[in-house]
Amino acid sequence: MLKTDLDKTGRFSQSDFDRLTKYLVPRQLKKNEILLDQGQICRAVYFISSGSAYQFRYEDIEEKITDLHLPKEWCLNYSSFISQAASQNIIKANSETTALELSVTALHELIAQSPVFLQLGKILQGATTRTQYLDNSMSPSERYNDLIKNRPLILQMFPLKIIASYLNMTPETLSRVRSCF
Amino acid sequence: MLKTDLDKTGRFSQSDFDRLTKYLVPRQLKKNEILLDQGQICRAVYFISSGSAYQFRYEDIEEKITDLHLPKEWCLNYSSFISQAASQNIIKANSETTALELSVTALHELIAQSPVFLQLGKILQGATTRTQYLDNSMSPSERYNDLIKNRPLILQMFPLKIIASYLNMTPETLSRVRSCF
DNA sequence: GGAATTTCTTGATCTGCATCAAGCGGCATC
DNA sequence: GATGCCGCTTGATGCAGATCAAGAAATTCC
């Protein structure tokens, strides 16, 4: 559950944990429901209990995927969240999803109560500092292999079209990379 | 001079400035002289009074240029400097160069004397957070045009071979980009 | 359950940049 | 002044991945 997952990255006592859960609001999301729209400010972060979500921006009319959010991960637009400025990106549920919402004000209250919650800042930052496969130092097949090595669950949760965009290649190229294993 | 240049990025009083200059040690560098070698720790930063320097790492036997340092700029390997760990990169004078050396211990003493010198940390960070033209979101000619727009002096100070490497393209491609202006 | 839409695959072609190769001009050395 | 090296340019070729196109498989929708 949430506690065991939190403990992977930080050290929270049972009472810390109880205090945190009081602020968490469960939200049930339909497929394609939007958690954060372009131009909105990211005023909350979400712990994905089940389901998945992805983050993207429009390039012309195409969705350019910038992040994939798996179950048991925190999901937010970090740059909008820390600056409380308009988000460039859109976050959308990829399937029926249950998320626990923690608002920015709730986070501040928690930190005011105990500095132990400063750890959450680090955790949230870590949740968004993943490889983005934007440079050309890796070939398409290297990027794909790197992804399935580090986050194999992605293959089960997302359509290849979305994975291809995230890996910065066309669906055709991804298909060929996979067929040559 | 140094003071006017510093004032562009921070606010230093004349007495702050006098205090700073006491710690600066002028160094005269010959062309191709090495300021920081691979594996060394970056224990000082340099303000380039005149001349220029460049930073690179070896990929196989090729020099991959990662940063170009112009006159009136601070020159350092930021990641080695802040962590005081071995540098991956090499810094080399590109021509006869005069640099003002400020050691890490001197910087700490300055900061201990007055928090105004914390500004130097930001300035040094800014000196190394330039575009590195590593992603493929810009084409070779866009990268070149971006460079001459933002740092036109580079064209006068560095051979095209080095600029090509910095711009992440071959000398042949740079030559063709330039001929089609 | 059947039609329509979307996703995925496979083949053919195109294109931009790298690589390979050759030649030229400048500069240093003897 | 000849020789050799280096930086730069220019042309020919190669290649990886994008684009275009078509069909198969899966999913959505009425």
Side-chain angles (χ1 to χ4, degrees), chain A residues 132-145:
Chain A
Q132 288 219 10
Y133 304 108
L134 290 174
D135 63 15
N136 53 8
S137 65
M138 294 170 106
S139 70
S141 72
E142 286 172 328
R143 299 201 292 276
Y144 174 72
N145 287 319

Side-chain angles (χ1 to χ4, degrees), chain A residues 29-36 48 51-58 62-70 73 75-77 89-95 97 130 151 154 157-159 161-163 165-166:
Chain A
L29 302 160
K30 294 200 188 69
K31 182 176 159 114
N32 292 330
E33 195 170 331
I34 286 178
L35 267 101
L36 176 70
I48 298 179
S52 58
Y54 61 97
Q55 198 160 156
F56 65 95
R57 61 169 182 276
Y58 283 107
E62 282 212 351
E63 297 187 354
K64 167 64 193 145
I65 313 293
T66 57
D67 221 340
L68 301 177
H69 304 287
L70 293 173
E73 290 183 355
C75 163
L76 74 156
N77 182 310
N89 291 358
I90 299 155
I91 303 179
K92 200 189 251 192
N94 176 54
S95 57
T97 293
R130 286 190 207 96
R151 304 178 77 198
I154 281 177
M157 306 280 297
F158 293 94
K161 188 185 137 138
I162 286 192
I163 297 174
S165 173
Y166 178 61

Side-chain angles (χ1 to χ4, degrees), chain A residues 36-87:
Chain A
L36 176 70
D37 210 346
Q38 196 170 22
Q40 285 185 339
I41 292 168
C42 186
R43 299 191 197 276
V45 301
Y46 301 88
F47 182 84
I48 298 179
S49 301
S50 70
S52 58
Y54 61 97
Q55 198 160 156
F56 65 95
R57 61 169 182 276
Y58 283 107
E59 295 197 340
D60 297 317
I61 54 156
E62 282 212 351
E63 297 187 354
K64 167 64 193 145
I65 313 293
T66 57
D67 221 340
L68 301 177
H69 304 287
L70 293 173
K72 314 298 171 202
E73 290 183 355
W74 289 94
C75 163
L76 74 156
N77 182 310
Y78 191 71
S79 74
S80 170
F81 185 74
I82 57 162
S83 64
Q84 288 292 295
S87 170

Side-chain angles (χ1 to χ4, degrees), chain A residues 94-114:
Chain A
N94 176 54
S95 57
E96 188 82 11
T97 293
T98 311
L100 304 174
E101 180 174 307
L102 178 69
S103 72
V104 61
T105 55
L107 180 60
H108 288 159
E109 284 181 35
L110 282 165
I111 290 169
Q113 285 171 31
S114 163

Side-chain angles (χ1 to χ4, degrees), chain B residues 60-126:
Chain B
D60 297 317
I61 55 155
E62 282 211 352
E63 296 187 354
K64 167 64 194 145
I65 314 293
T66 57
D67 220 340
L68 300 177
H69 304 287
L70 293 173
K72 316 296 170 204
E73 291 183 355
W74 288 94
C75 163
L76 74 156
N77 182 309
Y78 190 71
S79 74
S80 170
F81 186 73
I82 57 161
S83 63
Q84 289 291 296
S87 170
Q88 306 296 312
N89 291 359
I90 299 155
I91 303 179
K92 201 189 250 190
N94 177 53
S95 57
E96 188 81 11
T97 293
T98 310
L100 304 174
E101 181 175 306
L102 178 69
S103 71
V104 61
T105 55
L107 179 60
H108 288 160
E109 283 180 37
L110 283 165
I111 291 171
Q113 285 172 30
S114 164
V116 77
F117 292 108
L118 281 169
Q119 289 181 94
L120 278 174
K122 272 277 173 218
I123 293 171
L124 294 173
Q125 186 173 17

